[in-house]
């Protein structure tokens, strides 16, 4: 099996590798794993509490080239989006962009899971800090 | 019931019937199976299906014997290995590891709820941490340095993983027994829970096995 040029590019020059302060209220952390292969991926987002826009994203993935490329791409895509827009990202779009073969689909699923998990973590923190009465909008 | 490999009156080899691997050997689908009798069956059948015995046979019979022996080998290899055997049973029960994860993602997407991770978070943390250490170790090696503290850290993690691995196998065997009981007493209602537990144990084990492999490579 050979990797597409885009995968190789992300693999050789991964964007946004790194980590952020997990305990910060503006940071959401998603740590997910693919049981099929045992790989792990951590994706973090920093959200502007006023606008809900994701201002920064970082990742660290221990896994195959496709998982690294998928998470690298995911950090690029979520940046500048609101959290709700970021939730719209589907693994199939990642598959398309990176031209992943069928056996590598689970690697893109991992990236989508990581985005959701990071946003979920951030939302949980928001709810914990906000007084309950403010939560009227769904 | 067992699959019929040879005609009962003329003794000729039969085309393989689509049975599961347990039936192929005449076993019920129990997990705590007797590997000694599995082995015995395997060798007995291998002998009777040996290609040399069919050198003079007609093409049809020869083809059947080949099909039978390839099924025999697959069945044996699958059932002999405790993990493969469990995975196989899960597949027979309609549970695919890969599907599981994909379905859970689809569900999370549809409901907006957080996906239930098939691997528990604390194990993920541990896997992630250890990978970080391993990466650090690799970087140090490149520079020709060795940090004894780091090596000790990794050594400790390795021991803890090995312990976890053994504990998982032990737990798996406990579930096997529970499963086998439901075969004996016909209590199908108990099965989904047992299957789910086995799936969970296999998922964890996957992680640990991969990690141990990486650790062993790194410290070599
Ligand atoms: S092979 Fe598992 S994440 Fe790619």
């Amino acid at each position: 099996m050979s990797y597409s040029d885009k995968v190789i590019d992300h693999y050789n020059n991964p964007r946004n590798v790194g980590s952020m302060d997990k305990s910060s209220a503006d940071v959401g952390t998603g740590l997910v794993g693919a049981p099929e292969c045992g790989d792990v991926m951590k994706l973090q987002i920093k959200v502007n509490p006023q606008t809900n826009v994701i201002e920064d994203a970082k990742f660290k993935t221990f896994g195959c080239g496709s998982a690294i490329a998928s998470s690298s791409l995911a950090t690029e895509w979520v940046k500048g989006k609101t959290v709700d827009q970021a939730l719209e990202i589907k693994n199939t779009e990642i598959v398309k962009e990176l031209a992943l073969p069928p056996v590598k689909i689970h690697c893109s699923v991992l990236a989508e899971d990581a985005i959701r998990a990071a946003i979920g973590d951030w939302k949980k923190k928001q709810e914990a800090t906000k007084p309950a009465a403010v939560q009227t909008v769904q | 019931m067992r699959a019929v490999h040879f005609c009962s009156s003329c003794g000729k080899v039969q085309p393989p019937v689509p049975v599961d691997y347990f039936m192929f050997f005449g076993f019920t689908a129990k997990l705590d199976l007797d590997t000694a009798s599995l082995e015995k069956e395997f060798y007995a059948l291998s002998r009777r299906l040996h290609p040399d015995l069919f050198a003079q046979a007609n093409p049809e019979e020869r083809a059947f014997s080949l099909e039978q022996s390839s099924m025999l080998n697959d069945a044996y290899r699958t059932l002999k290995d405790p993990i493969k055997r469990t995975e196989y049973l899960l597949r027979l029960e309609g549970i695919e590891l890969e599907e599981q994860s994909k379905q859970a993602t689809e569900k999370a997407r549809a409901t907006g709820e957080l996906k239930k991770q098939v691997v528990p978070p604390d194990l993920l943390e541990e896997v992630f941490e250890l990978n970080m250490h391993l990466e650090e170790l690799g970087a140090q090696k490149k520079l020709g340095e060795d940090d004894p503290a780091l090596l000790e850290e990794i050594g400790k993690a390795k021991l803890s993983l090995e312990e976890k691995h053994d504990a998982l196998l032990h737990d798996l065997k406990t579930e096997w027994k529970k499963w086998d009981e439901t075969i004996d007493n016909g209590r199908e209602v108990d099965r989904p829970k047992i299957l789910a537990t086995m799936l969970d144990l296999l998922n964890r084990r996957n992680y640990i096995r991969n990690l141990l492999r990486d650790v062993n490579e790194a410290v070599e």
Side-chain angles (χ1 to χ4, degrees), chain A residues 80-95:
Chain A
K81 286 196 166 77
T82 64
V83 287
D84 288 336
Q85 286 167 339
L87 282 173
E88 298 287 304
I89 296 173
K90 294 196 176 52
N91 83 292
T92 45
E93 297 166 81
I94 298 173
V95 170

Side-chain angles (χ1 to χ4, degrees), chain A:
Chain A
M1 189 198 62
S2 63
Y3 285 121
S4 72
D5 291 346
K6 280 188 180 148
V7 172
I8 291 171
D9 177 38
H10 276 280
Y11 183 77
N12 287 332
N13 314 290
R15 332 286 199 263
N16 311 310
V17 174
S19 70
M20 296 190 252
D21 179 12
K22 194 168 131 180
S23 55
S24 156
D26 302 340
V27 171
T29 302
L31 181 58
V32 296
E36 300 85 357
C37 57
D39 293 346
V40 270
M41 179 183 290
K42 184 191 248 176
L43 193 146
Q44 294 182 299
I45 51 169
K46 186 166 184 285
V47 185
N48 181 319
Q50 263 81 49
T51 59
N52 283 1
V53 168
I54 299 173
E55 291 180 333
D56 197 9
K58 295 262 181 258
F59 85 95
K60 179 80 196 160
T61 293
F62 295 103
C64 72
S66 301
I68 292 172
S70 298
S71 39
S72 169
L73 182 66
T75 54
E76 275 192 326
W77 278 0
V78 296
K79 268 206 234 175
K81 286 196 166 77
T82 64
V83 287
D84 288 336
Q85 286 167 339
L87 282 173
E88 298 287 304
I89 296 173
K90 294 196 176 52
N91 83 292
T92 45
E93 297 166 81
I94 298 173
V95 170
K96 224 162 127 202
E97 173 70 18
L98 296 175
L100 297 178
V103 288
K104 292 281 148 178
I105 288 180
H106 77 268
C107 321
S108 68
V109 170
L110 202 55
E112 181 186 330
D113 290 347
I115 298 175
R116 288 177 181 284
I119 293 175
D121 182 51
W122 175 78
K123 281 194 173 158
K124 226 183 354 193
K125 282 184 183 167
Q126 294 300 299
E127 273 157 32
T129 51
K130 259 185 219 159
V134 190
Q135 287 180 8
T136 46
V137 269
Q138 256 298 334

Side-chain angles (χ1 to χ4, degrees), chain B residues 79-80 97 109 140 146 170 177 187-188 193:
Chain B
L79 294 191
K80 190 178 59 170
L97 291 176
R109 201 187 279 158
Q140 285 181 359
D146 255 345
H170 179 263
K177 298 227 167 75
R187 280 181 59 91
E188 287 186 23
K193 202 178 139 234

Side-chain angles (χ1 to χ4, degrees), chain B residues 166-178:
Chain B
D166 291 348
L168 284 174
L169 282 186
H170 179 263
D171 290 352
L172 192 59
K173 290 197 174 142
T174 311
E175 294 306 308
W176 283 2
K177 298 227 167 75
K178 287 192 200 157

Side-chain angles (χ1 to χ4, degrees), chain B:
Chain B
M1 195 183 58
R2 76 169 294 156
V4 183
H5 310 290
F6 303 94
C7 171
S8 57
S9 54
C10 70
K12 275 207 175 123
V13 64
Q14 299 297 299
V17 275
V19 290
D20 67 52
Y21 291 163
F22 292 98
M23 272 187 217
F24 186 89
F25 285 106
F27 297 147
T28 45
K30 284 193 185 174
L31 286 168
D32 196 9
L33 65 77
D34 174 10
T35 43
S37 58
L38 173 70
E39 205 166 299
K40 225 175 82 204
E41 286 286 331
F42 170 72
Y43 286 117
L45 278 170
S46 306
R47 265 196 303 277
R48 291 191 65 185
L49 289 168
H50 197 280
D52 287 355
L53 297 179
F54 297 90
Q56 314 297 334
N58 68 46
E60 198 185 40
E61 230 188 305
R62 209 160 30 192
F64 290 162
S65 75
L66 280 179
E67 279 175 49
Q68 287 273 15
S69 29
S70 94
M71 180 146 177
L72 172 67
N73 285 314
D74 290 345
Y76 179 62
R77 233 175 287 140
T78 305
L79 294 191
K80 190 178 59 170
D81 181 271
I83 301 299
K84 287 208 186 96
R85 188 193 311 151
T86 314
E87 281 173 348
Y88 180 69
L89 181 93
L90 288 176
R91 226 176 309 136
L92 283 182
E93 295 294 321
I95 300 170
E96 300 272 355
L97 291 176
E98 173 117 357
E99 271 308 299
Q100 274 267 317
S101 179
K102 236 188 288 169
Q103 277 169 9
T105 300
E106 269 154 28
K107 191 165 159 237
R109 201 187 279 158
T111 59
E113 274 164 27
L114 217 50
K115 175 179 170 178
K116 186 180 164 284
Q117 277 295 310
V118 273
V119 180
D122 54 324
L123 181 57
L124 279 178
E125 288 285 348
E126 202 179 327
V127 170
F128 195 85
E129 277 307 306
L130 184 53
N131 270 305
M132 291 296 266
H133 285 325
L134 289 176
E135 196 174 75
E136 218 179 301
L137 183 74
Q140 285 181 359
K141 270 197 177 159
K142 255 191 217 143
L143 294 172
E145 295 166 12
D146 255 345
D147 176 357
L150 186 61
L151 274 174
E152 198 187 314
E153 192 77 33
I154 293 172
K156 261 192 236 148
K158 187 181 155 185
L159 279 182
S160 131
L161 284 174
E162 278 166 354
E163 264 166 35
K164 279 209 175 84
H165 189 260
D166 291 348
L168 284 174
L169 282 186
H170 179 263
D171 290 352
L172 192 59
K173 290 197 174 142
T174 311
E175 294 306 308
W176 283 2
K177 298 227 167 75
K178 287 192 200 157
W179 172 262
D180 293 355
E181 263 165 42
T182 74
I183 303 277
D184 288 332
N185 63 22
R187 280 181 59 91
E188 287 186 23
V189 285
D190 295 341
R191 290 183 195 162
K193 202 178 139 234
I194 300 170
L195 290 171
T197 310
M198 289 197 283
L199 180 68
D200 179 57
L201 291 170
L202 286 179
N203 278 329
R204 290 171 194 234
R205 185 197 157 267
N206 252 356
Y207 264 92
I208 293 182
R209 188 210 45 209
N210 285 342
L211 202 54
L212 277 172
R213 187 199 55 210
D214 295 346
V215 172
N216 287 328
E217 266 171 28
V219 295
E220 242 166 39

